[in-house]
Amino acid sequence: MPVAAGWDWGVSVEQVSALAPHIPISNAGTPALPVDPAYGDANERTITRGEVLAWIKNVSAILGGRILRASKLPDTHPYFAYLEVAAPACIATGAAHYLVAAAFPLKAATNDQTSYAEVLRLRFEEGLAEIKAALDGAIADGLEDGAIAPRPAALLWSFPPSRFPDGQVF
């Protein structure tokens, strides 16, 4: 499974909503679902499917930036089977963080120990770290096994020798 920019991980609005079922998500132009009085009232901010889809896309891009080096692995490497499971879960958790923070902006502080948005953010960051660590391990194992050919080092730039036309030495 080659990793490409804009890869569709198959994360849906329903998967994100499952992590925050107390937040109603409406289609654009339709009234929101009734809010459970235990979690809020009708005056809470309404979140649309379009907003959640945009958050899924943003979180997918964040993950894509973390796994750019996966292209060094052969397409049949077992890391990709792990990635097919771990990536959608991580993306859904990250998008759910945005969902909860947007629905309850007064509780979106990182130092608030009661913020569910903060719990989701920490889970998302842990998921990103685990995915990146697994990729680093897969690349390191491939280098040791000879499956991944190391590229020769190249100079990024070079400077000409310093010459002073006036003959002064510093």
Side-chain angles (χ1 to χ4, degrees), residues 28-52:
T30 61
L33 298 172
V35 178
D36 186 342
Y39 293 106
D41 59 20
N43 295 325
E44 295 291 339
R45 185 172 183 273
T46 302
I47 308 295
T48 65
R49 290 182 70 81
E51 289 172 317
V52 177

Side-chain angles (χ1 to χ4, degrees), residues 66 90 93 120-130:
R66 298 285 174 101
C90 184
T93 304
L120 289 170
R121 184 188 67 82
L122 291 173
R123 287 181 187 166
F124 169 63
E125 289 181 357
E126 288 172 3
L128 281 179
E130 288 173 8

Side-chain angles (χ1 to χ4, degrees), residues 55-74:
W55 293 326
I56 292 171
K57 183 178 178 182
N58 290 345
V59 174
S60 297
I62 292 169
L63 176 69
R66 298 285 174 101
I67 60 171
L68 283 176
R69 297 183 322 135
S71 61
K72 293 182 177 184
L73 298 173

